[in-house]
Amino acid sequence: MPERLRTSRRALLAAGAASAAAVAVGAPSARAAEESAVNRAALRALIGRMTLEEKVGQLFVMRVYGHSATDPDQSDIDKNLEEAGVRDAAELVAKYHVGGIIYFGWAHNTREPHQIADLSNGIQRAALQQPTRIPVLISTDQEHGIVARVGKPATLVPGAMALGASGSRADARNAARIAGRELAAMGIRQNYAPLADVNVNPANPVIGVRSFGADPEAVSRLVVAQVEGYSDGGVAPTSKHFPGHGDTKDDSHYSLPTIHHTRAQWEELDAPPFRAAIAAGIDSIMTAHIVVPALDPAEDPATLSAPILTGILREQLGYDGVVVTDSLGMQGVRTKYGDDRVPVLALKAGVDQLLNPPEPAVAWNAVLQAVRDGELTEERLDTSILRILELKARRGLFTEPYVTHARVEREVGTRAHLAAADRIADRTTTLLVNEGGLLPLSPRAHRDVLVVGADPASPSGTTGPPTGVLAAALTELGFTATALSTGTAPSAARIDEAVAAAAGKDAVVVGTYNVSATSAQRTLVDRLLATGVPVVAVAVRNPYDVAQLPGVPAYLAAYSWTDTELRAAARVIAGHVSPEGRLPVPVPRAEDPGAVLYPIGYGLSY
């Protein structure tokens, strides 16, 4: 039976948090330290040869549209001209001397692995043709789970909360190592992962399953494992979002959230994973566009806060690596100041890399003018540039800036990697409800299966839809399964169609997605339950859905709707794999959010 624990969310989670800072982590190798010291003198000399314009450019990580560095589609040329006054990536490098470029699927940078490798090589070729030959640090958001920019045929490993459900540091490390090797093979040397946010708020609209969980100690262990894995894979990992985005009800993409933790609560809940990442030698830390009054009474976004970035991150926590902003196009950082002031204030606060400014020319010229006016010194820029160049050197960009098609073939989407991803996923699915031993389903007793539910857009643009993936996976496992997409807000007509389709079936599988008290998904499930056909529900995003659907006889949490995690859920439903996942977050009661329905660590097995 579920534990019924009446307590506040923060009290529940803080109980075991004090020991999180003591997580054992590895230190950077002595060899790496020696190489860094040797490189530093040469890098300082390189900085001394740079023009002011080149120095300003090194601080920016900009987006660019197109699949090619020199020959993008006309529609992408038009977007580049409109936003940055350049035609392509090569012109962006030449005009702004950018130190980094970020890849997005929506910017058409990530069609397929060989194309990505060619784009990366084209960007490096353009950079190394400039007077000061400095390679570009190419980055992306490949968190896996619900945030992925590179899709099939690359390997998609389980996301953070799924790994949190597994609890295996070895799996977390291996997943990151696989992801890192594949990204590096395509020329991407900086990844904005893993998240160090501790998701203690079930209503968090922006973090949720992107976090490893709600226990700071467990999150710290898995953050360290992934820092090690990405580093082993040849990619610079980035922990985010400092000082901690786990307890907010607002999305910083659209507004400026406020975190109401006291300083003591921040030390217990939010700080431990970042401390652990720093002790593990994290290459870069990303800022959050959030206000934390207990850390900065001025209530500036953390991205622009010297007390938070310099006072706490640099001085108190002792971090001297690269600090990168979250996207400067997000509303959270644009609320208080204009786009011309944000990059200057970020640098004054202690930032090194300025990510994805909404208007590149405005941001770039604002920093340039701030130096000319004396608001920023060249010495201040040099400090950040040295950190950035050291990161590039550690990741081999000065010695091996290019990648090859042969390396793509050897590393990306290999059978070994895909098989490893499936094995890792098999240990993540969490069984929360199994009344009367309904699961596992048997093809003999439940041959005809209807799969309905939400079909959110694929994180990578190349997988899904979820109902189709589940139906196909169940069919491969011996069932006769058909799919009917009903969406996240099914209409009355769609619900009627699903109920009619359920008639005569042996079982119905329902994919749920962020079910609320007023969600039409509840009506869909209630109507299906009323048919008498056995219903199995799978939460394809947040595990909190189960509290809103108390009548469902069997409920699993998959933590994401990527093919990898959905196929793992299907194997659990069919009994080919026993459920091993355990909740990494508490599930509160729907009628009383202060009470726990299912605690951290809860999960059933066969």
Side-chain angles (χ1 to χ4, degrees):
M1 293 292 293
E3 177 183 349
R4 288 159 173 81
L5 176 61
R6 294 186 173 275
T7 181
S8 72
R9 166 166 42 90
R10 292 194 183 102
L12 168 74
L13 298 172
S19 62
V23 173
V25 294
S29 69
R31 179 183 177 185
E34 290 174 7
E35 289 175 351
S36 179
V38 170
N39 288 334
R40 185 163 292 175
L43 295 177
R44 288 187 186 280
L46 177 59
I47 294 170
R49 298 194 298 272
M50 295 168 64
T51 66
L52 176 57
E53 290 78 7
E54 288 172 331
K55 290 182 177 182
V56 170
Q58 276 300 304
L59 305 175
F60 281 95
V61 181
M62 295 185 183
R63 68 185 178 277
V64 66
Y65 291 84
H67 70 287
S68 165
T70 55
D71 189 26
D73 295 339
Q74 185 60 49
S75 59
D76 290 324
I77 292 173
D78 294 341
K79 289 292 292 183
N80 287 327
L81 288 170
E82 175 188 349
E83 294 189 3
V86 299
R87 293 171 55 84
D88 52 40
E91 289 187 9
L92 184 79
V93 171
K95 180 173 182 176
Y96 293 104
H97 315 288
V98 291
I101 286 178
I102 180 172
Y103 285 171
F104 292 106
W106 52 259
H108 310 139
N109 304 140
T110 57
R111 290 180 178 177
E112 57 87 18
H114 289 288
Q115 166 269 317
I116 297 170
D118 289 340
L119 173 60
S120 300
N121 285 341
I123 289 170
Q124 301 298 2
R125 193 172 298 111
L128 297 176
Q129 289 173 351
Q130 301 305 308
T132 304
R133 297 163 55 86
I134 302 175
V136 171
L137 184 61
I138 297 170
S139 60
T140 198
D141 286 292
Q142 190 76 351
E143 297 173 13
H144 291 269
I146 71 168
V147 176
R149 310 303 185 197
V150 181
K152 289 183 176 179
T155 304
L156 293 172
V157 298
M161 193 169 286
L163 293 170
S166 164
S168 167
R169 282 177 283 184
D171 281 351
R173 185 182 301 108
N174 193 31
R177 183 188 61 82
I178 289 168
R181 287 177 62 175
E182 296 200 7
L183 290 175
M186 293 178 277
I188 300 169
R189 305 293 183 90
Q190 183 179 25
N191 190 25
Y192 299 131
L195 265 72
D197 301 312
V198 181
N199 198 78
V200 297
N201 189 341
N204 194 324
V206 64
I207 304 300
V209 294
R210 298 168 61 196
S211 163
F212 289 112
D215 174 26
E217 184 174 357
V219 172
S220 297
R221 287 195 300 267
L222 295 178
V223 164
V224 169
Q226 291 227 300
V227 168
E228 294 169 350
Y230 280 117
S231 297
D232 289 347
V235 164
T238 306
S239 284
K240 58 186 185 185
H241 306 79
F242 190 83
H245 210 320
D247 191 5
T248 174
K249 62 180 179 58
D250 301 308
D251 187 340
S252 50
H253 290 85
Y254 309 109
S255 63
L256 178 56
T258 297
I259 305 293
H260 297 286
H261 288 182
T262 65
R263 179 61 183 256
Q265 287 171 332
W266 178 81
E267 292 281 0
E268 290 182 339
L269 293 172
D270 301 295
F274 290 102
R275 291 183 185 274
I278 292 168
I282 187 75
D283 281 290
S284 49
I285 290 177
M286 180 180 283
T287 68
H289 305 325
I290 57 174
V291 167
V292 189
L295 304 185
D296 183 359
E299 299 194 6
D300 278 330
T303 299
L304 310 180
S305 169
I308 292 175
L309 298 187
T310 297
I312 295 176
L313 181 57
R314 296 287 192 203
E315 296 173 359
Q316 178 185 324
L317 301 187
Y319 180 64
D320 193 38
V322 169
V323 174
V324 56
T325 70
D326 206 342
S327 170
L328 298 183
M330 294 166 61
Q331 193 59 38
V333 78
R334 304 172 75 187
T335 299
K336 289 186 68 172
Y337 305 98
D339 291 338
D340 58 335
R341 293 300 298 157
V342 165
V344 176
L345 294 174
L347 290 170
K348 293 176 74 171
V351 157
D352 302 304
Q353 287 184 307
L354 301 162
L355 176 63
N356 196 30
E359 297 184 75
V362 169
W364 190 86
N365 282 303
V367 174
L368 184 66
Q369 194 61 45
V371 179
R372 288 174 173 166
D373 292 344
E375 185 178 7
L376 291 169
T377 66
E378 279 201 57
E379 289 75 19
R380 168 65 190 87
L381 269 58
D382 292 352
T383 299
S384 287
I385 293 167
L386 180 60
R387 292 190 186 109
I388 294 166
L389 296 184
E390 285 185 315
L391 191 159
K392 292 181 180 184
R394 282 197 304 275
R395 294 303 161 196
L397 278 169
F398 285 97
T399 55
E400 294 184 81
Y402 299 112
V403 292
T404 65
H405 281 232
R407 184 178 177 188
V408 170
E409 290 293 329
R410 286 196 309 270
E411 298 284 3
V412 180
T414 64
R415 287 185 180 181
H417 285 178
L418 294 171
D422 284 341
R423 288 194 299 272
I424 293 169
D426 281 341
R427 292 185 279 271
T428 66
T429 305
T430 307
L431 179 61
L432 299 173
V433 180
N434 193 22
E435 293 181 3
L438 174 58
L439 294 179
L441 298 182
S442 163
R444 290 189 299 274
H446 305 98
R447 176 169 295 279
D448 291 328
V449 178
L450 174 67
V451 180
V452 302
D455 275 332
S458 168
S460 64
T462 60
T463 60
T467 55
V469 172
L470 280 169
L474 290 170
T475 298
E476 290 176 5
L477 294 168
F479 298 86
T480 301
T482 56
L484 174 64
S485 177
T486 50
T488 56
S491 64
R494 202 62 168 168
I495 291 172
D496 288 341
E497 185 179 355
V499 170
K505 297 296 183 183
D506 298 315
V508 178
V509 175
V510 185
T512 68
Y513 182 95
N514 292 3
V515 181
S516 68
T518 58
S519 173
Q521 294 179 70
R522 295 184 67 177
T523 304
L524 169 67
V525 172
D526 288 343
R527 291 280 306 280
L528 289 169
L529 288 170
T531 67
V533 177
V535 173
V536 178
V538 181
V540 300
R541 185 166 178 168
N542 292 319
Y544 312 112
D545 289 3
V546 65
Q548 298 290 345
L549 301 167
V552 175
Y555 217 122
L556 303 102
Y559 304 102
S560 179
W561 60 97
T562 60
D563 289 13
T564 303
E565 286 162 275
L566 292 174
R567 288 196 306 267
R571 289 191 289 272
V572 169
I573 292 170
H576 284 239
V577 171
S578 179
E580 296 184 25
R582 299 293 181 264
L583 279 174
V585 294
V587 173
R589 288 185 170 278
E591 72 280 6
D592 183 3
V596 172
L597 177 62
Y598 297 105
I600 292 176
Y602 184 85
L604 304 175
S605 298
Y606 297 151

